């Protein structure tokens, strides 16, 4: 008797699943995600109660992400009219808005959710930067071990540890990802030049979309990217003319045209509220004197921040010689620089490409030195500051190390690829060669190990729950970022707030609050529209020991205010 053969498994489906799970996209995406969690640890250990670095700028940014999501859902037409720094208009534009992260704010409410979002965004910033570095190097013609090195260098350069509290500076992933997608869309690589049959208009559109996202993070990093992108467009146009105007696919031209217009439109829309802020507060403009305070000398590019596990201790003496170490420890990486130097002489890139990359690296360092180049910066950063629109808003030239790192990473990737290709057999690298080629990548990754502190965030006081805004919380000082975070519980309007500058209205209100509760201060607050004053005591933020302490016990008889003791603070209803 014959037995029917069992049905064959669904091989096409299994093959498809196998291809997906073993594809470069999946392996790199998952692998670099694990690296991001490990190299930023313990950020995700207690994401609801701690933040990396300190409890100042990170809490400001946690509020920004929360406000961006809240405003887009509830008042998109008044996005820039935030609940903080009352009564100032456009207060969401008092510093880089990180609007690109606003979709994270669509989920969850209150301070705890804001902290979780921030910590996720923090890890995501490192992840996207590393994926971007990998994708760009790979697209330009690097072998995958070289691209891994580039990804780790771009994502975890030592200087980034010194910016752990500045998510807007760490969020550079859109730059490399956009350049990689645009290169793929235009069928371009270093190793093979322009290949018309590899043009992919859809990828070009993706590249422009990523560029638009990057500019919504903020102009501190986005403005230089915009100029670089413009320069690439000009050079590409010149190259097209020199090549006797080869015919380009219509869909590519449409993608580029729409992409450019979208990028310019979003840049313009993002710039409008910032221009209004500068017009209303001319003292907020960055001066050349400000540049001097934040311009690292050349040795700053050889100095690691304190939180670098590998180089932090050995750089201690060098940091002591820097005027402001947090913005002047701009080490891209010792191992990265070493491999990049080798890449200047031995590389899969052409001599011309290597020279251009090296020249661009030097230029990025010269500009990054700000006013310290040749003692004044007259032939460097000040040319941009004085003559190019937008540069006068950037006071931290050293952050151009973003470009130094990216350029060094591409040089290093070229060296690793050339090394492997010398031993290739029928286009395949032997396993021992792959292992050796990954050693520099591992060393570059080790340079990214951190000792970043993760302090516990102050909890919201009971006295600041269900507050009728506009409200003033005392004490009001450099810890106003804490109050901003607490205000994500319903987003009541508050006088408190921190930003890139202190508005004069806030200074005046703080001065008036020192005599509160007096008849004069109460009348002044009522004229401004302030309904509630909360004076905190005990806990992490307390008026005890500050000029506002007397408000906790002063007699308010006859002042027509309602005083309520709420345990960890006293609330004054001025309505």
């Amino acid at each position: 008797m014959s037995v029917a053969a069992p049905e064959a498994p669904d091989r096409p489906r299994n093959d498809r699943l196998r291809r997906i799970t073993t594809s470069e996209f999946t392996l790199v995406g998952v692998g670099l995600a694990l690296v991001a969690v490990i190299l930023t640890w313990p950020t995700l250990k207690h994401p609801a109660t701690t933040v990396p670095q300190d409890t100042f700028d990170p809490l400001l940014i946690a509020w920004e992400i929360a406000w961006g999501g809240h405003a887009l859902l509830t008042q998109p037409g008044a996005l820039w009219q935030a609940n903080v720094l009352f009564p100032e208009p456009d207060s969401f534009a008092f510093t880089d808005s990180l609007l690109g992260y606003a979709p994270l704010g669509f989920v969850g409410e209150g301070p705890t959710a804001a902290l979780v979002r921030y910590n996720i965004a923090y890890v995501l910033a490192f992840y996207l930067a590393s994926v971007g570095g990998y994708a760009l190097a790979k697209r330009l013609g690097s072998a995958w071990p070289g691209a891994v090195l580039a990804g780790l260098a771009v994502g975890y350069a030592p200087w980034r540890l010194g910016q752990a509290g500045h998510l807007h500076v760490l969020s550079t992933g859109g730059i490399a990802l956009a350049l990689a997608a645009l290169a793929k869309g235009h069928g371009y690589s270093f190793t093979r030049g322009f290949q018309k049959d590899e043009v992919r208009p859809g990828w070009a559109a993706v590249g422009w979309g990523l560029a638009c996202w990057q500019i919504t993070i903020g102009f501190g990093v986005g403005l230089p990217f915009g100029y670089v992108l413009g320069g690439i467009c000009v050079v590409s146009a010149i190259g097209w003319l020199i090549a006797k105007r080869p015919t380009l696919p219509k869909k590519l031209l449409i993608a580029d045209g729409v992409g450019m217009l979208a990028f310019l439109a979003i840049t313009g829309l993002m710039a409008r509220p910032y221009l209004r802020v500068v017009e209303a507060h001319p003292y907020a403009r960055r001066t050349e004197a400000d540049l001097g305070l934040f311009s690292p000398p050349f040795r700053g590019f050889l100095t690691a921040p304190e939180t670098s596990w590998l180089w932090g201790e050995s750089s201690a003496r060098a940091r002591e010689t820097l005027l402001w170490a947090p913005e002047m420890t701009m080490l891209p990486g010792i191992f990265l620089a070493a491999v990049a130097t080798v890449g200047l002489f031995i590389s899969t890139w052409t001599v011309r490409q290597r020279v251009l990359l090296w020249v661009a690296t030097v230029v990025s360092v010269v500009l990054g030195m700000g006013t310290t180049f040749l003692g004044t910066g007259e032939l460097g950063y000040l040319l941009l500051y004085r003559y190019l629109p937008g540069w006068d808003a950037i006071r931290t030239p050293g952050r151009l190390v973003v470009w130094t790192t990216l350029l060094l990473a591409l040089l290093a990737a070229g060296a690793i690829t050339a090394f492997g290709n010398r031993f290739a057999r029928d286009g395949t690298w032997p396993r021992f060669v792959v292992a050796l080629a990954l050693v520099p990548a591992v060393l570059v990754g080790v340079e990214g190990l951190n000792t970043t502190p993760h302090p516990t965030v102050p909890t919201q006081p009971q006295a600041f729950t269900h507050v009728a805004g506009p409200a003033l919380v005392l004490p009001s000082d450099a810890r106003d970022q804490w109050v901003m975070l607490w205000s994500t519980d319903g987003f009541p309007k508050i006088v408190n707030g921190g930003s890139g500058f202190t508005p004069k209205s806030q200074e005046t209100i703080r001065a008036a609050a020192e005599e509160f509760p007096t008849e004069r201060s109460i009348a002044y607050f009522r004229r401004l529209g302030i309904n509630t004053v909360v004076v905190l005591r005990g806990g992490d933020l307390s008026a005890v020991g500050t000029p506002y302490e007397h408000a906790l016990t002063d007699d308010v008889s006859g002042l027509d205010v309602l005083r309520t003791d709420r345990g960890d603070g006293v609330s004054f209803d001025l309505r």
Side-chain angles (χ1 to χ4, degrees):
M1 185 175 71
S2 61
V3 178
E7 291 186 8
D10 189 355
R11 289 182 179 177
R13 184 188 304 172
N14 291 340
D15 289 345
R16 191 181 310 115
L17 180 61
R18 188 179 301 109
R19 285 196 300 271
I20 292 174
T21 57
T22 60
S23 68
E24 178 185 356
F25 178 83
T26 302
L27 294 176
V28 170
V30 173
L32 290 179
L34 291 174
V35 170
V37 172
I38 293 170
L39 290 185
T40 59
W41 192 259
T43 299
L44 295 183
K45 185 177 182 180
H46 301 293
T49 56
T50 65
V51 289
Q53 192 65 20
D54 56 49
T55 57
F56 297 99
D57 283 351
L59 300 193
L60 161 64
I61 295 171
W63 167 83
E64 286 184 303
I65 297 173
W67 170 258
H70 169 78
L72 288 177
L73 290 176
T74 61
Q75 55 176 69
L79 169 67
W80 302 100
Q81 313 311 317
N83 71 306
V84 302
L85 292 167
F86 177 85
E88 292 290 341
D90 295 314
S91 56
F92 193 36
F94 277 29
T95 188
D96 280 342
S97 69
L98 288 100
L99 187 59
Y101 287 114
L104 294 177
F106 294 166
V107 181
E109 298 178 353
T112 298
L115 292 177
V116 173
R117 288 190 214 102
Y118 175 82
N119 284 310
I120 290 173
Y122 180 82
V123 177
L124 183 63
F126 285 90
Y127 173 69
L128 291 178
S130 62
V131 171
Y134 178 95
L136 181 59
K138 192 69 163 53
R139 176 58 217 175
L140 293 179
S142 170
W144 72 265
V148 168
L149 183 150
L152 294 174
V154 172
Y156 304 97
W159 67 265
R160 292 172 65 86
L161 301 176
Q163 299 291 330
H166 300 149
L167 185 60
H168 53 297
V169 180
L170 297 175
S171 299
T172 59
I175 294 175
L177 284 170
L179 294 177
L182 287 170
K184 184 176 179 66
H186 290 80
Y188 178 79
S189 69
F190 279 175
T191 51
R192 295 188 297 142
F194 170 67
Q195 298 293 320
K196 187 174 180 180
D197 60 336
E198 294 184 10
V199 168
R200 300 290 184 272
W203 277 106
V206 169
W208 286 111
L210 288 165
C212 290
W213 178 81
Q214 182 67 57
I215 207 70
T216 65
I217 297 299
F219 289 110
V221 170
L223 181 74
F225 172 54
Y227 274 98
V228 170
L229 202 56
I232 291 174
C233 290
V234 171
V235 170
S236 299
I238 293 173
W240 177 73
L241 292 173
I242 293 175
K244 300 181 179 179
R245 304 180 183 181
T247 303
L248 298 174
K250 184 177 180 180
K251 290 183 178 179
L252 179 63
L253 295 176
I254 293 174
D256 282 339
V258 173
M260 289 181 192
L261 289 175
F263 183 79
L264 292 173
I266 290 175
T267 300
L269 290 172
M270 288 289 296
R272 287 179 62 188
Y274 290 92
L275 294 175
R276 291 197 299 264
V277 168
V278 172
E279 183 179 1
H281 306 276
Y283 52 89
R285 291 182 182 274
R286 309 307 189 190
T287 66
E288 293 185 14
D290 292 329
L291 295 180
L293 296 175
F294 296 97
S295 294
F298 179 73
R299 66 180 178 278
F301 291 86
L302 304 175
T303 306
E306 183 180 6
T307 51
S308 169
W309 176 81
L310 187 61
W311 306 120
E313 186 175 347
S314 61
S315 294
R317 287 190 178 182
R319 284 194 302 274
E320 292 175 358
T321 67
L322 299 175
L323 182 63
W324 180 239
E327 289 293 347
M328 295 184 179
T329 48
M330 295 300 174
L331 177 68
I334 299 296
F335 294 127
L336 172 63
V339 181
T341 302
V342 173
L344 182 60
F345 302 98
I346 303 172
S347 179
T348 195
W349 315 137
T350 66
V351 173
R352 181 182 180 184
Q353 289 166 347
R354 282 178 259 164
V355 171
L356 288 175
L357 287 171
W358 195 258
V359 169
T361 302
V362 172
V363 170
S364 70
V365 172
V366 167
L367 295 177
M369 291 173 63
T371 58
T372 65
F373 177 65
L374 298 181
T376 63
E378 292 284 346
L379 299 178
Y381 191 85
L382 286 181
L383 292 175
L384 307 181
Y385 178 86
R386 292 170 179 169
Y387 301 112
L388 290 183
W391 285 89
D392 59 351
I394 302 178
R395 64 176 177 175
T396 50
R399 293 175 182 175
L400 290 174
V401 72
V402 167
W403 296 96
T404 309
T405 306
L406 182 59
L407 293 163
L408 289 174
L410 292 178
L411 279 166
I416 297 299
T417 303
F419 166 77
N421 287 344
R422 290 193 175 193
F423 297 93
R425 299 170 184 170
D426 298 325
T428 302
W429 292 14
R431 291 183 179 180
F432 82 92
V433 174
V434 173
L436 289 175
L438 286 174
V439 170
V442 172
L443 294 175
V444 167
V446 169
E447 289 190 296
L449 292 174
N450 74 87
T451 60
T452 303
H454 287 69
T456 299
V457 174
T459 56
Q460 181 180 359
Q462 180 63 30
F464 190 66
T465 56
H466 309 294
V467 169
L472 168 64
V473 178
L474 299 175
S476 177
D477 51 32
R479 295 168 292 179
D480 270 9
Q481 288 94 331
W482 301 1
V483 185
M484 295 174 77
L485 174 70
W486 301 334
S487 78
T488 59
D489 180 13
F491 293 99
K493 289 188 178 296
I494 56 174
V495 175
N496 306 73
S499 70
F501 69 98
T502 302
K504 290 183 178 179
S505 63
Q506 189 180 55
E507 293 179 346
T508 303
I509 292 172
R510 284 173 173 173
E514 292 186 6
E515 66 175 60
F516 181 84
T518 62
E519 186 173 350
R520 183 173 63 172
S521 63
I522 292 171
Y524 174 61
F525 288 165
R526 282 176 171 156
R527 286 198 303 272
L528 291 177
I530 297 173
N531 290 328
T532 307
V533 176
V534 177
V535 187
L536 299 176
R537 65 180 171 213
D540 297 293
L541 185 62
S542 174
V544 176
T546 74
Y548 313 109
E549 179 179 5
H550 62 89
L552 291 168
T553 54
D554 281 1
D555 184 14
V556 295
S557 301
L559 291 177
D560 191 25
V561 297
L562 178 61
R563 183 184 188 278
T564 304
D565 193 316
R566 302 189 64 185
D568 53 11
V570 177
S571 175
F572 296 85
D573 190 336
L574 309 186
R575 291 173 295 179

